[in-house]
Amino acid sequence: MAELPGTARVVIIGGGAVGCSVLYHLAKMGWSDCLLLEKNELTSGSSWHAAGNCPNFSGSLAITKIQSYSTELFKRLGEEVDYPMNYHVTGSVRLAHSKERMEEFRHVCSMANHLGFEMDMMTNEEMKAVYPFLETHDIQGGVWDPNDGDIDPAQLTQAYAKGARNLGAKVVRFCPVTGVRRENGEWVIATEKGEVRCEYVVNAAGYRAQEIGRMFGREVPCISMAHQYLITEEIPELEAFDKPLPLLRDPDSSYYLRQEKNGLLLGPYEKQATPHWVTKNDPMPADFSFQLYPDDLERLEWYIEDACARVPILGTAGVTRVVNGPIPYAPDGNPLIGPMPGVPNAFEACVFTFGIVQSGGAGKVCAEWIVEGETDGDMWSVDPRRFTGFATKDYSIAKAVEIYSHEYAIHFPNQEWPAGRQARTSPLYEKLKAKGAMFGASAGWERAVWFPRPGIDEAVQKPSYHHTNWFDAVHEECLAIQEKVGLLDLCGFSRFEVSGEGAADWIRSLITGVLPKVGRIGLIYFATEKGKILTEMTVTRFAEDSFMLMTAAGAEWHDRDWLEQHLPDGSPIRITNVTGSWTTLVVAGPKSRDLLSSVCDSDFSTAAFPWLTHQPVEIGMARGFAVRVSYVGELGWELHLPVEQVVGVYDKLWAAGEKHGIIDFGMYAMDSMRLEKCYRSWKQDLSNDYSMLEGSLDRFIKLDKPAFIGRDALLKEKQAGVAQVFVPLLLDEGSGDAVYLSTVWKDGERIGFVTSGGYGHRIGKSIALATIRTDCTLEGTEVEVEILGERRSAVVAREPLYDPENERLRT
């Protein structure tokens, strides 16, 4: 058994498939002085009892990349590390019971094919040809993934470990971690066998991630769900069949079915989702290594019957084994891979619901974070910092149950899931709810998304890939703002006060462009070392060295960590997170000046209050500051107010605004109007899948200023020529709009991806914001956008699409 070394560059806590993959990928990147510590034996947590299925299919770009990397790695890993592995590439058939499911399949196929991962739509006849035991009488069709299959989880984990050892990394088993502490800029990891000092540490503890996280003062959002699958006796028809059956998934009935030797393995995701270890009466055991929960086949009865009707040979065999083990779930079902929030040189690679197939890509991503400080492509959908303080235990349980019981659900655009709601609410929440508002959740914040028209619209969300029940109501909201005045409760901005001697110079060293003058506001952008888009902030400058930086609601911990990590040691600069103290009311429309002038003594004329400036305001009992800016592209102001005073201001504005035809509007209307202005959305249009230049953010880049993060990479890219850039597209009419990550075509070639899509109600056009090949970006160029498998004609336009000279904003 390996001895415990006194030092290591990186210590990985947890010896499942993911932890061993992180170790292997670090060693592959040249960091061989790394150590993995395992409480028991390798794979003793969730890995050993995992079914080992290996899909590529996902509606998430990051997850697709992670899983596809893994499946390609599995094909060569055994040979690379000289370790035998049972990896069966059988292909898979995924069934569709409905038109909506077929639309989802077409979108995912398009995305996968654009990325170079082959997937194809299937007819019923084609499915029967590869899976002759299948009943297809009530099926619309399906999708074929030729690279799907299954792998032995234990062999995979041992292969990672052997490959890492071959390169000089170390694994110490039966070595529980008992504590951690920070000492002289290093981590000291305490174990039952002694202490290890290291520069970096990774929590890869699977369903025990929360236990390890607490040693760092971190509450990991992790819920262990019971997942069962059963294995049948041998089936003669399979023994006589000339090749292994493809893996079968029936997402509408919610199960997977695959061949296991000459039997079948059936794994449902049942509606009766069951969390464990979430109450004082059911604590997590000190050691659950190689253990399972008691069988509970009654929960599976409906799914067994449905699967037997779909594949009748399943019903001819008895059950030989039932596996019911813990599977960790984060609140959105995606893993946590990346920096540990608020903790220096600590990372997470844990809470994997599909840890076997994601292990290869996860190891690569985590190793990139540690070695290079950024990842190859945007990984926000798996970043641990996406869940901030709102992700409490009750929230995590509610969302884990919802995700598990809807594991294969279609995720429509603008689908507002019901569990875990009201995690964060504005003081105006109840008032807007009483007025009929429909809400959506963003980073836990409840925001009004649209307002049903009394007597006209049913107050329900009917998600669809097409224009749905809120389309006409949102249309009226947009036109009312264009003609009169609207009011939006925009709670949830992440806010940081930055002040102290040298604050301005420090911010300049981080951003790609320039700071606004005192009394003005502006957009500032931060790039990664590779010149990729890191984040966007609105900066309000109060004095020479006094600022408020505002960023997206979901970016709170992401941007906080970035700022704090780049603050020089001993600096007098202060960064204060004031997110919970302030909120925002948006007043927008041509009557907004008249409305504000009627409730406030300030002068709101253009001469006294120009565009992109700010001033203190007093409205009723409230003191705050107003910013002359508008994300909707109309004359307007943002009122930034103390949270406790926003209700009084709202009431005063509403009473004074009735004579101006004031309306409440929601986020769907705002999104439509920001598309018309080509304003970017964080982690859709603004992601580190693209460089600052590829994002067409040239006006925010000053390459002639002193060195800033990403400058060298951007200078090199500009000199070499930018391969793709961001443009708006105007689409021909259709029943729906471009979905995020829809493919853009030109002359039969894929030339880019849609980053945002929707309908522009003021211009009466369907809009797609996209990043496409540079040679296709001339205004008027005809292209096609693939929407749910069908190509719609489109034309390249010039941004902004609405009010191109910004006259409505300036005057």
Side-chain angles (χ1 to χ4, degrees):
M1 189 176 298
E3 293 293 325
L4 185 71
T7 63
R9 195 170 190 181
V10 183
V11 168
I12 299 159
I13 303 172
V18 172
C20 290
S21 175
V22 175
L23 186 71
Y24 174 66
H25 282 86
L26 283 168
K28 288 274 286 185
M29 294 181 75
W31 285 33
S32 58
D33 183 15
C34 299
L35 169 68
L36 183 144
L37 302 175
E38 165 53 40
K39 178 184 181 74
N40 193 277
E41 180 58 90
L42 299 185
T43 78
S44 61
S46 292
S47 294
W48 76 274
H49 63 74
N53 300 331
C54 299
N56 295 289
F57 186 98
S58 175
S60 161
L61 181 60
I63 294 296
T64 297
K65 289 181 177 179
I66 286 170
Q67 294 181 173
S68 297
Y69 172 85
S70 294
T71 56
E72 286 301 309
L73 174 64
F74 295 167
K75 295 174 183 177
R76 64 178 191 273
L77 182 62
E79 184 176 344
E80 280 186 8
V81 304
D82 191 25
Y83 191 89
M85 287 169 46
N86 288 317
Y87 178 40
H88 311 114
V89 180
T90 60
S92 71
V93 173
R94 203 173 282 251
L95 306 178
H97 290 233
S98 65
K99 175 177 71 73
E100 291 78 12
R101 182 68 73 177
M102 289 290 282
E103 289 176 336
E104 178 199 34
F105 286 177
R106 291 188 185 102
H107 174 62
V108 174
C109 278
S110 173
M111 181 180 71
N113 290 330
H114 186 108
L115 295 170
F117 312 133
E118 182 185 355
M119 285 188 195
D120 295 297
M121 298 298 294
M122 302 183 83
T123 65
N124 288 5
E125 292 73 20
E126 289 170 332
M127 289 189 291
K128 286 281 286 185
V130 298
Y131 205 116
F133 308 108
L134 182 67
E135 293 294 327
T136 61
H137 58 277
D138 57 346
I139 298 298
Q140 297 277 322
V143 67
W144 172 249
D145 177 358
N147 293 307
D148 205 335
D150 63 272
I151 196 167
D152 184 301
Q155 291 177 338
L156 173 64
T157 304
Q158 294 293 347
Y160 287 138
K162 184 175 187 297
R165 289 191 191 101
N166 291 347
L167 294 168
K170 296 181 177 62
V171 175
V172 177
R173 300 168 295 143
F174 303 101
C175 187
V177 171
T178 57
V180 303
R181 68 181 187 274
R182 191 85 172 141
E183 194 172 276
N184 298 324
E186 292 182 315
W187 288 109
V188 181
I189 313 299
T191 80
E192 292 183 355
K193 296 184 177 182
E195 292 186 342
V196 184
R197 290 182 174 271
C198 63
E199 186 177 353
Y200 301 94
V201 64
V202 179
N203 179 357
Y207 59 71
R208 305 201 84 95
Q210 201 169 69
E211 175 186 331
I212 298 299
R214 286 172 181 152
M215 297 178 185
F216 295 86
R218 154 79 164 146
E219 197 66 26
V220 178
C222 174
I223 301 299
S224 294
M225 302 296 297
H227 178 60
Q228 294 187 95
Y229 62 84
L230 59 87
I231 301 172
T232 72
E233 300 169 336
E234 291 195 353
I235 299 172
E237 290 88 340
L238 291 181
E239 189 174 6
F241 199 53
D242 60 354
K243 59 184 177 181
L245 281 177
L247 199 152
L248 178 71
R249 291 184 181 84
D250 191 335
D252 294 305
S253 293
S254 194
Y255 59 78
Y256 56 85
L257 181 69
R258 72 166 171 82
Q259 187 169 338
E260 177 70 8
K261 297 181 179 176
N262 287 322
L264 289 170
L265 184 154
L266 173 66
Y269 290 94
E270 73 275 15
K271 295 295 181 186
Q272 189 184 330
T274 307
H276 281 273
W277 306 329
V278 294
T279 68
K280 291 181 179 179
N281 296 327
D282 180 28
M284 182 181 290
D287 192 353
F288 199 70
S289 301
F290 297 111
Q291 296 184 52
L292 297 171
Y293 302 131
D295 301 348
D296 188 3
L297 282 178
E298 286 187 9
R299 283 168 33 198
L300 307 188
E301 187 174 333
W302 182 90
Y303 304 91
I304 295 171
E305 291 178 358
D306 189 82
C308 288
R310 183 66 57 203
V311 182
I313 60 170
L314 175 64
T316 66
V319 175
T320 62
R321 186 181 177 209
V322 178
V323 174
N324 186 14
I327 302 292
Y329 269 74
D332 60 1
N334 285 350
L336 307 180
I337 316 171
M340 187 182 294
V343 183
N345 285 6
F347 295 83
E348 294 176 344
C350 53
V351 199
F352 282 80
T353 301
F354 299 98
I356 302 305
V357 69
Q358 292 171 1
S359 62
K364 173 179 178 288
V365 168
C366 191
E368 288 171 347
W369 267 120
I370 295 169
V371 176
E372 299 180 352
E374 61 183 281
T375 55
D376 180 19
D378 196 273
M379 289 291 151
W380 178 244
S381 61
V382 298
D383 194 302
R385 297 166 295 182
R386 70 190 187 273
F387 297 114
T388 59
F390 69 90
T392 63
K393 177 181 174 182
D394 282 357
Y395 175 89
S396 298
I397 293 170
K399 295 302 290 184
V401 168
E402 181 180 65
I403 292 291
Y404 182 92
S405 60
H406 296 83
E407 186 62 66
Y408 289 131
I410 301 172
H411 290 264
F412 293 103
N414 296 319
Q415 183 156 10
E416 310 294 350
W417 292 90
R421 300 302 293 269
Q422 300 183 45
R424 303 162 105 175
T425 57
S426 157
L428 289 168
Y429 175 78
E430 293 296 339
K431 185 181 289 285
L432 297 178
K433 184 178 179 182
K435 295 174 80 170
M438 301 299 296
F439 289 90
S442 175
W445 286 101
E446 294 291 332
R447 289 173 170 173
V449 291
W450 68 289
F451 288 81
R453 297 164 297 176
I456 300 175
D457 301 312
E458 188 180 359
V460 294
Q461 290 283 120
K462 295 182 178 179
S464 171
Y465 286 114
H466 304 277
H467 295 160
T468 186
N469 68 312
W470 59 77
F471 183 82
D472 291 337
V474 170
H475 175 81
E476 290 193 9
E477 289 178 24
C478 293
L479 296 190
I481 295 162
Q482 183 184 32
E483 297 165 2
K484 298 175 184 177
V485 62
L487 194 54
L488 171 67
D489 176 27
L490 189 55
C491 55
F493 274 130
S494 302
R495 303 168 189 262
F496 306 94
E497 291 180 349
V498 179
S499 62
E501 184 181 352
D505 288 339
W506 174 67
I507 296 173
R508 285 191 191 99
S509 73
L510 298 179
I511 64 176
T512 61
V514 298
L515 284 171
K517 297 177 181 179
V518 174
R520 297 190 65 84
I521 71 154
L523 283 178
I524 55 175
Y525 287 86
F526 299 73
T528 72
E529 289 286 358
K530 296 179 181 178
K532 303 293 185 179
I533 301 169
L534 179 78
T535 197
E536 171 199 77
M537 298 187 194
T538 299
V539 57
T540 305
R541 192 169 189 178
F542 298 110
E544 180 62 27
D545 281 320
S546 178
F547 305 87
M548 181 178 283
L549 304 182
M550 288 183 289
T551 184
E556 181 183 355
W557 284 3
H558 176 280
D559 289 359
R560 175 205 66 186
D561 286 1
W562 178 261
L563 292 171
E564 291 181 351
Q565 288 165 9
H566 288 81
L567 195 63
D569 291 339
S571 171
I573 299 168
R574 297 179 301 278
I575 302 172
T576 306
N577 187 343
V578 294
T579 298
S581 302
W582 292 84
T583 191
T584 303
L585 286 178
V586 173
V587 185
K591 301 293 185 182
S592 58
R593 176 179 285 122
D594 297 336
L595 172 57
L596 288 168
S597 297
S598 71
V599 298
C600 181
D601 292 336
S602 298
D603 186 348
F604 289 92
S605 68
T606 294
F609 205 146
W611 186 43
L612 300 181
T613 65
H614 63 88
Q615 294 183 20
V617 292
E618 184 177 301
I619 301 175
M621 302 294 179
R623 287 192 179 100
F625 64 95
V627 178
R628 174 84 186 273
V629 71
S630 172
Y631 198 54
V632 303
E634 301 289 349
L635 176 69
W637 280 261
E638 290 177 356
L639 303 180
H640 297 274
L641 303 160
V643 168
E644 65 273 13
Q645 294 178 318
V646 68
V647 173
V649 175
Y650 174 91
D651 288 342
K652 198 170 184 70
L653 286 167
W654 188 265
E658 290 192 88
K659 68 179 182 181
H660 298 295
I662 193 170
I663 67 151
D664 291 299
F665 70 100
M667 299 301 295
Y668 293 169
M670 173 175 270
D671 193 57
S672 167
M673 292 183 282
R674 71 96 183 167
L675 288 172
E676 293 172 316
K677 294 298 292 183
C678 302
Y679 294 154
R680 277 67 155 171
S681 177
W682 191 68
K683 290 306 178 188
Q684 275 192 253
D685 314 295
L686 300 171
S687 81
N688 65 351
D689 281 324
Y690 307 106
S691 75
M692 289 285 296
L693 292 169
E694 289 173 330
S696 296
L697 297 169
D698 306 58
R699 65 188 183 279
F700 299 102
I701 305 171
K702 300 299 180 185
L703 291 173
D704 57 350
K705 62 178 273 193
F708 59 86
I709 295 173
R711 179 182 180 274
D712 291 346
L714 290 170
L715 189 59
K716 183 177 180 180
E717 182 184 9
K718 190 173 184 67
Q719 291 169 345
V722 183
Q724 55 182 350
V725 293
F726 175 95
V727 294
L729 307 175
L730 293 175
L731 281 64
D732 284 356
E733 286 302 309
S735 65
D737 303 304
V739 183
Y740 175 57
L741 298 178
S742 295
T743 299
V744 183
W745 293 79
K746 172 67 175 171
D747 298 332
E749 295 183 2
R750 298 180 178 90
I751 61 168
F753 262 148
V754 170
T755 56
S756 289
Y759 195 81
H761 292 277
R762 291 175 298 188
I763 67 172
K765 290 282 189 179
S766 183
I767 301 166
L769 306 183
T771 303
I772 65 174
R773 215 171 61 205
T774 306
D775 63 312
C776 302
T777 56
L778 184 68
E779 185 178 357
T781 300
E782 295 180 352
V783 297
E784 293 175 306
V785 178
E786 186 174 347
I787 302 176
L788 309 178
E790 296 183 3
R791 298 188 198 177
R792 284 250 296 275
S793 296
V795 63
V796 175
R798 179 171 64 93
E799 62 172 299
L801 302 168
Y802 176 74
D803 185 26
E805 303 304 321
N806 290 325
E807 293 178 359
R808 298 178 71 90
L809 287 167
R810 295 175 184 273
T811 59

